[in-house]
Amino acid sequence: MEAFDLFCTLLRGITDIYGIGGGLLEYRASLLAGHGFATLALAYYSFEDLPKKFDTIDLDYFEEALCYMLQHTQIKGPGIGLLGISLGADICLSMASFLKNVSATVTINGSGFNGNKAMYYKENCIPPLGHDLRRVKVAFSGLLDIVDIRNDIVGGCENPCMIPIEKAQGPILFIVGQDDHNWRSEFCAQIASERLQAHGKEKPQIISYPGTGHYIEPPYFPMCPASLHKLLDKPVMWGGEPRAHSKAQVDAWKKILTFFTKHLGPSPKL
């Protein structure tokens, strides 16, 4: 009987999107499923029949995934949640801004800007902000520090390369590491907050963790201080101090679960 009840229970839906590394990562989605969320870990390049590289970001693909979730017989509507990290966070912000039926969005160390590839949805296009590799620094360890390579944000929160998050449906939670060396996530979250308020929206929730780097993973996952950057094909540093970063991962996971439970609904009683 319990198995039958589980099969018939409508679950809250979340789409989980990772960053520039591509491929399919399912461990975070599996952990969310253990908390009563029907979670789709969504690959968007470098997996099976998907393109090995991407030259543009087309939101039509992500809209198809959103529709799939909403039409699933075990998904409780009317909307779903979005969870993304790094580039995946910015894709989630774009989905929330352009697509319907998004109830809540969590971004982990996103930027709020379209980075290196043009982003399209129907007749809309967000141009890339771009970067300047001459700003790359070499740390004492020999690792590259890319935190300042992005082009200057001319115009602040009204820069044309910024995602129009004032159009987003549902609340947004920004989780940022103060020692993020991929880009300055805390600064970007503040600009996103300024944009929302400038357009008459409420100030979003920003949770900022000192001593915390770029890859804020689920609790007890090992910290990733450096790795090979997929686009640069060179080892780069991601930042973070081990103790502070590990504590942030534990706390951030609790905050994510609380946020989705609040805005998507409580876990079904099985």
Side-chain angles (χ1 to χ4, degrees):
M1 176 63 75
E2 289 184 2
F4 178 78
D5 289 342
L6 175 61
F7 182 79
C8 293
T9 299
L10 292 178
L11 303 174
R12 303 153 298 164
I14 295 175
T15 298
D16 183 23
I17 305 178
Y18 268 81
I20 198 69
L24 180 64
L25 299 174
E26 298 179 299
Y27 55 86
R28 191 168 62 189
S30 298
L31 291 171
L32 286 168
H35 288 274
F37 297 100
T39 310
L40 172 65
L42 183 61
Y44 52 98
Y45 87 103
S46 191
F47 179 72
E48 293 187 347
D49 60 343
L50 293 172
K52 297 300 180 184
K53 298 180 180 180
F54 64 94
D55 296 320
T56 61
I57 299 174
D58 192 336
L59 289 183
D60 285 342
Y61 171 79
F62 298 94
E63 184 176 39
E64 184 178 346
L66 185 65
C67 291
Y68 168 79
M69 290 286 284
L70 290 169
Q71 292 170 5
H72 198 286
T73 56
Q74 289 183 252
I75 300 295
K76 177 183 179 181
I80 68 164
L82 303 175
L83 172 61
I85 184 170
S86 193
L87 173 60
D90 291 335
I91 291 174
C92 286
L93 283 176
S94 300
M95 292 172 68
S97 300
F98 289 107
L99 307 182
K100 297 179 180 180
N101 300 311
V102 175
S103 296
T105 304
V106 177
T107 83
I108 303 173
N109 281 331
S111 71
F113 289 84
N114 189 32
N116 300 317
K117 309 291 183 180
M119 182 177 291
Y120 294 94
Y121 179 66
K122 309 303 182 187
E123 70 279 3
N124 301 289
C125 175
I126 306 176
L129 183 62
H131 61 268
D132 186 348
L133 292 178
R134 292 174 296 180
R135 297 195 185 112
V136 171
K137 294 175 286 188
V138 181
F140 180 77
S141 62
L143 295 169
L144 300 185
D145 187 348
I146 62 173
V147 69
D148 290 321
I149 68 171
R150 278 196 156 189
N151 291 336
D152 294 336
I153 304 172
V154 179
C157 67
E158 296 301 329
N159 186 290
C161 300
M162 191 169 189
I163 298 165
I165 56 175
E166 69 278 3
K167 299 178 181 179
Q169 300 180 53
I172 303 172
L173 170 61
F174 293 88
I175 293 176
V176 298
Q178 293 181 10
D179 193 37
D180 184 355
H181 278 256
N182 186 62
W183 45 50
R184 300 192 182 277
S185 297
E186 186 177 36
F187 174 65
C188 292
Q190 293 298 336
I191 294 179
S193 178
E194 291 174 11
R195 181 172 182 122
L196 286 170
Q197 293 177 80
H199 287 266
K201 302 293 184 177
E202 291 186 5
K203 185 177 181 180
Q205 183 180 5
I206 301 174
I207 303 176
S208 183
Y209 294 101
T212 302
H214 188 62
Y215 281 109
I216 302 177
E217 295 276 41
Y220 315 117
F221 274 60
M223 172 185 163
C224 179
S227 68
L228 189 72
H229 194 285
K230 188 69 176 282
L231 295 185
L232 297 179
D233 198 29
K234 294 180 180 179
V236 303
M237 59 191 298
W238 302 117
E241 185 275 320
R243 181 177 177 83
H245 191 98
S246 297
K247 291 177 66 176
Q249 291 190 161
V250 173
D251 187 73
W253 184 249
K254 294 177 182 177
K255 296 293 195 302
I256 291 169
L257 294 176
T258 298
F259 180 82
F260 279 134
T261 298
K262 177 181 179 180
H263 297 291
L264 298 181
S267 179
K269 294 181 180 181
L270 305 178

